[in-house]
Amino acid sequence: PPTSPGFPLLSYLESASLMSGTLESLSGLGEDGSSLGSDSEVNGLVFRRTDKYGFLGGAQYSEGSACELRVDVARQREMKWLDMFSNWDKWMLQRFQKVKMRCRKGIPSSLRAKAWQLLSNSQELLDSNPGKFEALEREQGDPKWLDIIEKDLHRQFPFHEMFAARGGHGQQDLYRILKAYTVYRPHEGYCQAQAPVAAVLLMHMPAEQAFWCLVQICETYLPGYYSAGLEAIQLDGDIFFSLLRRFCPMAYRHLKKFKIDPILYMTEWFMCIFSRSLPWACVLRVWDMFFCEGVKIIFRVGLVLLRQMLGSMDKLRELQGMYETVERLRNISPESIREELLVQEVVSLPVTEALVERECSIQVCKWRESRGELCHNPGRRLHGTRAIYELKRRSGSFRPRGSFSFLGGPVASPGPLRASSSVLSLPGFRKSKAPFQFPVNKGSFSGSSVSESKLTPGGGIPGRCQAQPAESGAISPARASAHGPIAGEADALAPGEEEARRKKSKEEKKKEKEEEKQRSREQKEREKVEKVRLKKEKKDKGGA
């Protein structure tokens, strides 16, 4: 297949300037392909050969996968995903493990755009903000950011037919998205690593949908990654290095020996979600799992790559110094990465949300001791679609007191959800399928409807707060408190009732604390068992 010139695959922030001029290398392409893209005319030459992903050449060009699915299997998978789309809430609530398994198998290409939007909850943002994207486009924008964005456009996937032509449709839509984000979050502005992420989204969906998906990545999955100072990526680099010590001591010792800081090689991996580092089939599989399971997938992929490249003495003998090691990590050979093998190892690696959060707490303490207070709040991150869905369910089920949520049970105003919390750690989640009962807050809304909540600057998830419609024209006693004069009775409680309610709230809080302590003890026991197991495995390997 056509290849790119041998420019080094440096970290994104260092290599952006080297990407200019690479379009001229496409002149050696053959003309026997069947795909002709609308943007495939570059410098007056028309290139007809593209792979199935739209690449004209370069390191991510692929001749075709050896493990292509049979047509009947592909159609069967599509039907399963379409069934999930039609009952999404039910699947997320009752059969999430099946959703996760299907994401790990790979989302069908024809349905990937819709799946990513539902998994990330960007579809909800799109529906809740009609006309918002167009309004952001009409804003003037900060000239400082717009100038940098324009200079970066031609550097994003120059070998892909969508972005190959300067000023083509792909580059125009990319500019629209990146400019809109600088207007949407002016305090964050633009980070160069956002461009390849937005470009990957544009390859799968229209500009407006891609914008809201980018918002979710920047504010929910990877908050702080693209903010000034890059504290979040530095903190995750420390977490990553600590995890490497546990899961691949040989690679850890080698990097430690030559004082190779994680930021030298993992910046591009994490900030671009491997979109510029892996073969394209692997990129798509990683993104499928990332949207479902969150940032732990990025940690797992990085650990697997280091284990493959630095995990044996034979491989380390080839890398006698810092320069050779960094070059190897920045230039991952496509031939060394097999799609199914990569996914299999990523799935089997026991890096859990709880482990990531535990390491995060440790590294935050070390950061504060050595560098002072963080500007970035590491507790904003949500671990994948289940945590996002749970937060949406809690905020979206907010009703006037006594009304019913979409799950069929009375739910009062939801309490705060820590972003670092695992969904399974929510009180009562493991014990009962019924929705968790929150204490009723004094002064809850009254009236026949509640307006929809808006996005907060901190990147919160919008919830739809609407009163349930009455069925068959009758209002049941359970729902009557949300209608007419009865709603006013919430503010006129007898002193005894108010005291009883306050006492009940205290008892529930006490119960929550006890459950939290119990979960903490169980977690410590699990970690202790895991530590003993790893120690035994290490001893067995040493004996062998």
Side-chain angles (χ1 to χ4, degrees), residues 84 87-96 99 117-122 124 216 220-221 291-292 382-397 405-407 417 423 426 429 435 461-463:
M84 289 199 300
N87 300 280
W88 190 252
D89 285 350
K90 174 186 172 184
W91 279 86
M92 291 301 299
L93 190 65
Q94 300 176 7
R95 304 192 65 188
F96 174 71
V99 177
Q117 291 174 65
L118 287 172
L119 289 167
S120 67
N121 198 46
S122 64
E124 179 83 8
Q216 284 295 80
T220 303
Y221 285 87
F291 276 116
C292 182
L382 292 179
H383 290 277
T385 188
R386 186 64 181 272
I388 295 171
Y389 178 81
E390 183 63 22
L391 178 59
K392 182 182 78 168
R393 186 173 72 86
R394 294 180 65 183
S395 59
S397 62
S405 73
F406 67 94
L407 293 173
L417 174 67
V423 176
L426 291 172
F429 188 86
I461 311 301

Side-chain angles (χ1 to χ4, degrees), residues 155-202:
R155 297 167 181 159
Q156 313 312 319
F157 302 104
F159 296 103
H160 193 279
E161 62 178 348
M162 188 173 181
F163 303 102
R166 288 179 182 262
H169 296 301
Q171 291 192 10
Q172 289 178 28
D173 284 345
L174 186 58
Y175 177 83
R176 292 168 60 203
I177 291 174
L178 297 175
K179 175 202 168 184
Y181 191 82
T182 64
V183 178
Y184 185 69
R185 291 288 181 256
H187 61 283
E188 290 189 14
Y190 166 68
C191 175
Q192 288 179 308
Q194 288 174 311
V197 174
V200 174
L201 295 172
L202 268 177

Side-chain angles (χ1 to χ4, degrees), residues 24 34 72 97 104 114 126 137 146 157 174 198 203 254 364 379 381 403 429 460 468 475 501:
E24 286 74 16
S34 59
D72 58 329
Q97 292 302 318
R104 288 177 172 183
K114 183 69 173 177
L126 176 66
E137 281 191 281
L146 301 186
F157 302 104
L174 186 58
M203 292 177 193
H254 180 82
V364 166
R381 179 159 60 199
S403 65
F429 188 86
Q468 285 281 1
I475 300 177
R501 177 175 295 177

Side-chain angles (χ1 to χ4, degrees), residues 71-287:
V71 175
D72 58 329
V73 175
R75 290 292 174 264
Q76 188 179 30
R77 289 190 179 180
E78 287 178 344
M79 294 303 295
K80 290 178 179 178
W81 274 92
L82 288 171
D83 176 62
M84 289 199 300
F85 290 165
S86 62
N87 300 280
W88 190 252
D89 285 350
K90 174 186 172 184
W91 279 86
M92 291 301 299
L93 190 65
Q94 300 176 7
R95 304 192 65 188
F96 174 71
Q97 292 302 318
K98 194 74 172 177
V99 177
K100 183 168 72 173
M101 185 192 74
R102 289 177 179 174
C103 287
R104 288 177 172 183
K105 282 185 176 181
I107 301 171
S109 299
S110 59
L111 303 175
R112 186 166 271 125
K114 183 69 173 177
W116 285 0
Q117 291 174 65
L118 287 172
L119 289 167
S120 67
N121 198 46
S122 64
Q123 183 68 48
E124 179 83 8
L125 293 188
L126 176 66
D127 296 340
S128 302
N129 294 274
K132 179 72 172 179
F133 178 66
E134 289 79 5
L136 294 171
E137 281 191 281
R138 290 193 293 269
E139 294 287 334
Q140 188 70 28
D142 190 332
K144 173 183 68 175
W145 299 125
L146 301 186
D147 183 55
I148 300 174
I149 290 171
E150 284 189 31
K151 291 177 181 177
D152 280 348
L153 292 177
H154 71 280
R155 297 167 181 159
Q156 313 312 319
F157 302 104
F159 296 103
H160 193 279
E161 62 178 348
M162 188 173 181
F163 303 102
R166 288 179 182 262
H169 296 301
Q171 291 192 10
Q172 289 178 28
D173 284 345
L174 186 58
Y175 177 83
R176 292 168 60 203
I177 291 174
L178 297 175
K179 175 202 168 184
Y181 191 82
T182 64
V183 178
Y184 185 69
R185 291 288 181 256
H187 61 283
E188 290 189 14
Y190 166 68
C191 175
Q192 288 179 308
Q194 288 174 311
V197 174
V200 174
L201 295 172
L202 268 177
M203 292 177 193
H204 295 85
M205 60 189 80
E208 186 175 14
Q209 284 89 329
F211 169 76
W212 290 113
C213 212
L214 177 67
V215 168
Q216 284 295 80
I217 290 174
C218 295
E219 300 186 352
T220 303
Y221 285 87
L222 306 173
Y225 264 42
Y226 310 102
S227 302
L230 302 178
E231 281 187 346
I233 191 68
Q234 293 180 62
L235 182 63
D236 275 3
D238 295 338
I239 297 169
F240 180 71
F241 205 49
S242 179
L243 293 173
L244 181 65
R245 183 178 185 178
R246 173 182 295 205
F247 291 104
C248 191
M250 187 175 291
Y252 172 84
R253 288 193 297 268
H254 180 82
L255 296 172
K256 191 84 170 175
K257 175 183 176 182
F258 294 108
K259 298 180 180 179
I260 301 174
D261 193 89
I263 208 72
L264 292 175
Y265 55 88
M266 55 79 71
T267 304
E268 181 183 59
W269 292 359
F270 280 46
M271 294 184 75
C272 301
I273 320 177
F274 296 96
S275 61
R276 290 167 52 85
S277 308
L278 296 176
W280 200 249
C282 295
V283 171
L284 296 179
R285 295 292 296 276
V286 168
W287 280 53

Side-chain angles (χ1 to χ4, degrees), residues 35 49-57 61 159-162:
S35 175
R49 186 176 184 180
T50 65
D51 65 8
K52 65 178 182 178
Y53 303 114
F55 283 93
L56 299 155
Y61 179 93
F159 296 103
H160 193 279
E161 62 178 348
M162 188 173 181

Side-chain angles (χ1 to χ4, degrees), residues 1-2 28-36 46-50 61 63:
L29 285 176
E31 298 186 359
D32 57 343
S34 59
S35 175
L36 179 60
V46 176
F47 305 104
R48 293 183 170 84
R49 186 176 184 180
T50 65
Y61 179 93
E63 281 288 1

Side-chain angles (χ1 to χ4, degrees), residues 278-302:
L278 296 176
W280 200 249
C282 295
V283 171
L284 296 179
R285 295 292 296 276
V286 168
W287 280 53
D288 290 346
M289 293 186 289
F290 167 72
F291 276 116
C292 182
E293 301 178 58
V295 75
K296 72 178 181 186
I297 294 298
I298 299 183
F299 282 104
R300 289 185 184 186
V301 174

